[in-house]
Amino acid sequence: MATTMFLIGLLYVVFVGVLLVLLRGSWPIILLITGALFVGQFWFSDRIAALGMGAREVTREQAPELHGTVDRICALADMPKPKVAIAESDVPNAFATGRGEKTSLVCVTTGLLRRLEPEELEGVLAHEMSHVAHRDVAVMTIASFLGVLAGMMTRVALYSGLGRSRDSTMGLAVLLVPVVSAAVYVISFLLTRVLSRYRELAADRAAALLTGRPSALASALTKVSGEMARIPTKDLRKAEPYNAFWFAPAFSSKESLSRLLSTHPTLEQRLEQLTRISAQLGGA
């Protein structure tokens, strides 16, 4: 994860350097605009995602067992309790949002609650609360900023007419911006996907070690992945835009290209890691 973050940061530095050379007087305004977009994305993206996925905060009286499980995990992890929510959806899944522990929310779908045993649910919630403890939403927002910046630069260069300069040298330089931006966007997108897959494996590991029952998390993963095949495609399509937040992706593929673009490791990779952890813990 550290290597991937370093590469993303290095790519960002190179990209800004190219902008300084190519755009000269125009770059401060563009960076100011993209900076404002980043702040908006950083502060509001998690709330927008929770709203889009239909998360509804529930009290202890409304969901005593769910709150009890969250309380146990918080005690084990010595962390503040996040807000607890339920989403009305038959898609069996869970997610967590929030830039940090004070703004965090953990949500499960009604489909997940109906299908999992208590120890399996505990494993899933421990996975999601690991994302909260490690501030993964903030990490992924920062990591994806370069892609947002590069994508915006491509649109600005293509549609603003900056390339129509009377200075042929400057005009040619500005025409290179879409090419450079597109290349940076693709590389940033792929690196962000790699980072996302590492974060999911890290959350699985943290949950397995915290609960001491990697087999329960493995069972939940297997059950959720299997149940996805029984969900109507139209429901999965609605959930797919939020794959980066979900415990398990709405759609997954074993094809090499799809795996390269996926936000999650394959089920086989996740189960293999949990099997190793189980052996280390003595078969728990």
Side-chain angles (χ1 to χ4, degrees):
M1 287 187 288
T3 302
T4 305
M5 285 294 288
F6 171 78
L7 291 174
I8 291 174
L10 179 62
L11 190 64
Y12 176 75
V13 171
V14 172
F15 183 51
V16 171
V18 171
L19 292 183
L20 291 175
V21 173
L22 295 182
L23 297 183
R24 301 176 192 174
S26 302
W27 70 266
I29 298 175
I30 294 173
L31 289 182
L32 181 64
I33 294 172
T34 53
L37 287 176
F38 170 69
V39 171
Q41 179 188 13
F42 186 77
W43 284 96
F44 301 112
S45 62
D46 58 331
R47 302 179 200 176
I48 294 172
L51 182 64
M53 289 183 276
R56 174 179 57 85
E57 190 174 349
V58 292
T59 64
R60 183 180 298 276
E61 290 72 25
Q62 292 171 316
E65 294 182 1
L66 181 59
H67 271 269
T69 302
V70 172
D71 286 337
R72 286 196 302 276
I73 296 170
C74 288
L76 288 171
D78 190 23
M79 64 181 289
K81 184 178 180 179
K83 297 176 183 176
V84 180
I86 293 177
E88 293 289 338
S89 172
D90 192 45
V91 178
N93 232 317
F95 65 90
T97 66
R99 302 178 305 280
E101 293 179 345
K102 293 183 179 179
T103 60
S104 62
L105 175 145
V106 61
C107 178
V108 296
T109 65
T110 51
L112 189 78
L113 290 174
R114 286 197 300 270
R115 290 173 171 89
L116 296 191
E117 298 298 325
E119 64 274 10
E120 294 171 337
L121 179 62
E122 183 180 60
V124 172
L125 288 171
H127 169 102
E128 295 304 328
M129 291 170 67
S130 171
H131 284 312
V132 172
H134 297 148
R135 293 176 170 81
D136 284 350
V137 172
V139 168
M140 294 308 299
T141 299
I142 293 170
S144 65
F145 174 58
L146 179 57
V148 174
L149 174 62
M152 182 177 179
M153 285 301 306
T154 303
R155 290 190 292 271
V156 168
L158 287 174
Y159 300 120
S160 67
L162 291 176
R164 298 171 187 169
S165 171
R166 293 181 180 179
D167 184 341
S168 58
T169 302
M170 181 60 182
L172 179 61
V174 175
L175 285 174
L176 291 175
V177 172
V179 177
V180 173
S181 298
V184 168
Y185 175 79
V186 171
I187 297 171
S188 174
F189 178 85
L190 293 176
L191 286 174
T192 304
R193 287 298 195 264
V194 171
L195 182 63
S196 178
R197 293 194 290 273
Y198 282 141
R199 299 307 298 180
E200 292 300 327
L201 287 172
D204 281 349
R205 179 175 179 81
L209 294 176
L210 183 66
T211 62
R213 289 196 295 267
S215 58
L217 180 57
S219 176
L221 274 168
T222 304
K223 189 177 291 186
V224 167
S225 299
E227 289 292 328
M228 287 291 187
R230 299 182 175 88
I231 302 298
T233 301
K234 62 181 180 65
D235 293 334
L236 293 179
R237 291 295 181 194
K238 291 179 182 178
E240 188 178 18
Y242 305 105
N243 267 354
F245 290 90
W246 290 124
F247 167 67
F251 283 100
S252 60
S253 174
K254 294 184 178 179
E255 296 179 6
S256 57
L257 180 59
S258 296
R259 289 173 61 179
L260 183 66
L261 303 179
S262 176
T263 56
H264 289 64
T266 63
L267 176 62
E268 290 75 17
Q269 288 174 310
R270 298 176 78 174
L271 293 179
E272 181 182 350
Q273 175 181 246
L274 292 172
T275 299
R276 290 197 303 270
I277 295 173
S278 182
Q280 293 168 5
L281 295 177

